[in-house]
Each structure stands twice: as C-alpha cells, then as structure tokens.
Amino acid sequence: MEMHFIFSDKVVLLFDFWSVHSPAGMALSVLVVLLLAVLYESIKVGKARLLHQALVSLSIPTSQQLIEETDQDSSGSDSTPVGKTRLRWLLCHFGQSLIHVAQVVIGYFMMLAVMSYNTWIFFGVVLGSAVGYYLAYPLFSMI
Amino acid sequence: MDHSHHMEMSHMDHNTTTAPAHHHSATSASHSHDESMDHMMMMPMTFYFGFRNVELLFSGLVINTAGEMAGAFVAVFLLAVFYEGLKIGRESLLRKSQVSIRYNSMPVPGPNGTTLMETHKTVGQQMLSFPHLLQTVLHIIQVVVSYFLMLIFMTYNGYLCIAVAAGAGTGYFFFSWKKAVVVDITEHCH
C-alpha cells in the first residue's frame, strides 16, 4: 500500500465489489463518498435536533431553557422523565442510539475511504463535509 | 523471523484443517491469497469475515480460533462502551467543576440614544486546579482509546468492526440516558 496521496483512477474502496478502474467510475465513486460525507454531517445535526424536539414534546426542560432559568432561579430540576412519559422517552432514546450507531459507522467508513490515499476520494470527503456542514447547520436553528 | 515462522505454521494449518477453514478461504479469497503472498498487501483493504491469523493492535496479540475471536469481540465491545462512558463522564465532570464565573460589563448604544450595559458571563477553570488536571488526564485517555478503536476498525475484520459499532451504540444508550439536556453539535470526530 502506497503511503502517500496519489492521483489515480484505480482504487478499491471498502468492499471487494467496489473496485474503480475508469474515470467515469472514479467520478461516480467521488460523488457517492461526497453524499456519504453530507449524510454524516446531517446526521450529526439531525441527532441534536431530534433530541431537542423530543424533549420539547415530552415537556422536559431543554438546555437552553435551563440556561435562561439558572440566571434567576438555581433550582436543580431533575431531567429524567417521570410517569407515563418514561416509555416514550425510552423509545426515543433507543432511536437516538440507533442514529448514533449509524453516525459512528459512517464516520469510520469515511476514515477508511480517506485511508485509501486516493486524492480524488479525499477531495470528495472534504467537499462533502463542507457542503453537509453548510447545509445542515441552519437546519438546527430552524427548530 | 519468529513471527513469520508462526505465520507459515498457521498457514499450513489452514490447508489441513476441516471444512470451516476452506469455507473461510472461499468467502474471503483476497485475504488468504494476500497472506500466502506475504510480501505485498499484508493489510487487507476491504471488509472480510474471518478469525484466522488476525493481528490486533499489538504484535503478540494474534487471533487464531473462534474462541479467541469471541473474546476479542467482547473486549472490543467493552472498550467502545468505555469510550462512550468516558465522553459522557468528562462532560458531566466539566459542568460540575465550573466554579469561577466572571462578569464583564460594557456599555453599548441602545435605542433612542441611551446607553445600555451589556453583561457577558464567562465560566472557566483555573489552569492548575485539580479538576482541570483530571480533565487533562481523562482527555489523554480518551484520545488514546479513540485511536485504538480507529486502529481496530482499520483491521477491516467484520466481526471486530461490528463489535466497535455495537459497543458505541450500547454505551451511548446507557450513558446518555440521563444526559438529555446537553446538546453539543460542535464536536467533530466524536
């Protein structure tokens, strides 16, 4: 394995069946890796937004509300839900955990794609991260 | 030299054992082929499922049997759970130890020409305080564990990668249960 960045049209990415050997295949692979990076950034933001939405819907005070409260009133309210919302919170948190697993796996896949030391793939990952961050961040503000 | 002799012995063992070894070599042909070449492509670059001659992080740690792979699966799983717990624990420790709060007031122009006082509140730690030293030590441990998990994932072994992912999910599920209030989207590479 070459240990420096090279420009090449031939690379094998992640799986045995994903072997690239033409410029068109490389363009397509770069696009796939770019979309993967966009997905990774949007999962990061989406997880936070889902958590916020779930907390609001289950009427548990969120961090922003707590920050506004602590300036006036320093009562330590317990953040764990009680009563019948507990099951709903359990399901929501289980869903959050699955999203977290997806985020971890996609993050590692991107690391392994960059590890192929192919410069086009590297550009795809970086560009995808930039585009994903740029598009996903305003999403969080639109709660 | 000793290690290559060991690899040769285990390679001979592949060809003389029963069906599971042949099944393994059929499903991950590229991996066993690379082993026999031995001088090119020692590291697999695609995902494979196998438990023969899997080197794990250190030179003495080689997995050769299904039992050893199961043990390695459990160990990697627990390492990933520990990593998630360490992350959450550091967050809560940071919040508990933020004692010094500084207020900076500065005048800003308001509407109708009046002057308003804008107050900035900053929380921080002293550099030589015990909480900060503890945070630093935990940070080093977190960085090392995260690199270990990355290197484990880099073995491209399917079982170990699944162990990392499952451990991360389980650790997140158990440790982030009560951490619902803290939301941090600025962290990268978690």
Side-chain angles (χ1 to χ4, degrees):
Chain A
M1 186 176 114
E2 299 291 334
M3 293 298 260
H4 52 87
F5 282 107
I6 50 173
F7 282 97
S8 165
D9 283 339
K10 300 194 188 338
V11 73
V12 179
L13 276 176
L14 292 176
F15 300 101
D16 280 330
F17 54 80
W18 194 350
S19 82
V20 184
H21 35 251
S22 65
M26 177 54 76
L28 192 65
S29 296
V30 169
L31 190 66
V32 171
V33 167
L34 198 140
L35 292 177
L36 207 68
V38 168
L39 182 69
Y40 177 71
E41 293 292 331
S42 43
I43 281 181
K44 269 207 297 189
V45 169
K47 194 170 71 163
R49 189 165 83 112
L50 269 171
L51 180 67
H52 195 273
Q53 274 182 343
L55 287 175
V56 162
S57 75
L58 292 175
S59 42
I60 298 163
T62 60
S63 59
Q64 285 174 321
Q65 295 163 355
L66 276 181
I67 286 172
E68 286 156 20
E69 279 178 22
T70 44
D71 280 340
Q72 305 126 15
D73 169 37
S74 60
S75 64
S77 60
D78 193 11
S79 65
T80 50
V82 291
K84 49 189 189 269
T85 59
R86 204 173 187 96
L87 180 66
R88 283 184 64 195
W89 173 245
L90 176 73
L91 291 175
C92 168
H93 189 61
F94 187 72
Q96 284 267 318
S97 300
L98 291 181
I99 294 175
H100 182 75
V101 171
Q103 182 187 334
V104 165
V105 169
I106 293 179
Y108 277 121
F109 278 5
M110 277 169 49
M111 177 207 73
L112 292 174
V114 172
M115 240 182 64
S116 67
Y117 262 112
N118 190 292
T119 323
W120 300 118
I121 302 290
F122 181 66
F123 284 162
V125 168
V126 171
L127 204 62
S129 293
V131 167
Y133 182 84
Y134 182 71
L135 293 179
Y137 197 84
L139 224 76
F140 179 72
S141 307
M142 288 179 352
I143 302 168
Chain B
M1 197 166 70
D2 208 26
H3 181 66
S4 65
H5 175 70
H6 164 76
M7 268 182 66
E8 223 177 63
M9 290 289 287
S10 60
H11 182 68
M12 278 168 50
D13 193 41
H14 294 179
N15 295 329
T16 53
T17 44
T18 51
H22 284 281
H23 178 68
H24 154 72
S25 63
T27 50
S28 60
S30 62
H31 178 65
S32 52
H33 175 71
D34 295 338
E35 273 179 65
S36 65
M37 298 284 277
D38 196 37
H39 55 267
M40 58 182 268
M41 281 201 287
M42 283 200 56
M43 214 171 82
M45 292 301 280
T46 54
F47 285 109
Y48 70 95
F49 281 96
F51 50 86
R52 303 259 178 237
N53 201 20
V54 178
E55 282 188 357
L56 192 62
L57 288 179
F58 301 104
S59 68
L61 229 59
V62 183
I63 300 169
N64 286 115
T65 67
E68 283 174 20
M69 177 55 81
F73 185 95
V74 172
V76 168
F77 182 87
L78 291 178
L79 192 69
V81 169
F82 169 72
Y83 174 71
E84 292 290 330
L86 185 62
K87 264 202 303 182
I88 305 292
R90 273 190 69 207
E91 273 178 47
S92 73
L93 215 70
L94 186 68
R95 230 166 336 152
K96 278 188 208 152
S97 70
Q98 273 169 352
V99 285
S100 66
I101 300 176
R102 282 174 292 136
Y103 288 88
N104 294 333
S105 302
M106 59 190 70
V108 293
N112 304 331
T114 57
T115 307
L116 302 173
M117 288 297 284
E118 188 178 281
T119 306
H120 293 262
K121 186 169 92 167
T122 48
V123 292
Q125 292 177 330
Q126 287 185 327
M127 192 176 280
L128 289 179
S129 61
F130 174 70
H132 188 54
L133 289 178
L134 183 64
Q135 278 285 322
T136 307
V137 169
L138 291 179
H139 179 74
I140 295 173
I141 297 176
Q142 184 178 336
V143 165
V144 169
V145 172
S146 74
Y147 275 121
F148 277 4
L149 289 175
M150 178 199 75
L151 290 171
I152 289 170
F153 213 95
M154 252 174 62
T155 63
Y156 269 107
N157 190 298
Y159 300 122
L160 297 178
C161 294
I162 289 174
V164 170
T170 309
Y172 177 85
F173 183 73
F174 283 124
F175 287 112
S176 193
W177 176 257
K178 287 198 176 190
K179 281 282 161 273
V181 206
V182 178
V183 161
D184 183 19
I185 61 167
T186 59
E187 72 164 17
H188 70 100
C189 291
H190 42 273

